[in-house]
Amino acid sequence: QVQLVESGGGLVQAGDSLRLSCTGSGRALTNYAMGWYRQAPGKGHEFVAGIGFNGAPTYYQDSVKGRFTISIDNAKNTLYLQMNSLKPEDTAVYSCAAGRTWSSFTYWGQGTQVTVSS
């Protein structure tokens, strides 16, 4: 199994950028399909971006296409989510996840808060 720890969240202004990290331990992340979810206050979990085994393919929710980029650094065993042109509606707790497929994530991180002020 793999343990996941996110970092990189914070409070930023609209238009700013943040990079979230998700570091794995126990097993290489390339063994899994990986993804980022977010949950805003009062809303359900939302699948934001995904990346397949060994870095391909990738998936983005329509609302983040062109602004967010998901990537993986195998040497550091770390998943990233580069978030540019942030909007207040991006405010949420962001969690990384790993599993056999994007629809069957098994392992989850604890989440990191992203707050975007207008």
Side-chain angles (χ1 to χ4, degrees):
Q1 62 181 26
V2 64
Q3 293 78 42
L4 304 172
V5 178
E6 299 100 335
S7 61
L11 172 62
V12 298
Q13 293 187 331
D16 285 350
S17 298
L18 274 178
R19 189 178 75 162
L20 304 183
S21 300
C22 170
T23 300
S25 61
R27 215 168 168 218
L29 296 185
T30 52
N31 288 299
Y32 302 95
M34 302 291 301
W36 288 96
Y37 271 83
R38 67 185 179 187
Q39 186 168 24
K43 296 186 178 180
H45 269 101
E46 186 178 40
F47 186 39
V48 175
I51 190 166
F53 295 91
N54 294 315
T58 57
Y59 161 84
Y60 297 97
Q61 185 196 82
D62 284 346
S63 66
V64 307
K65 280 181 182 176
R67 300 189 298 121
F68 290 12
T69 303
I70 189 170
S71 63
I72 192 163
D73 185 328
N74 295 333
K76 296 182 178 180
N77 210 34
T78 298
L79 177 75
Y80 298 103
L81 186 67
Q82 177 66 44
M83 304 186 295
N84 299 330
S85 302
L86 282 162
K87 304 175 181 179
E89 51 264 43
D90 294 319
T91 295
V93 175
Y94 285 72
S95 302
C96 63
R100 293 183 59 82
T101 69
W102 292 336
S103 60
S104 61
F105 286 127
T106 305
Y107 305 105
W108 293 82
Q110 82 288 354
T112 186
Q113 177 70 48
V114 172
T115 303
V116 185
S117 63
S118 57

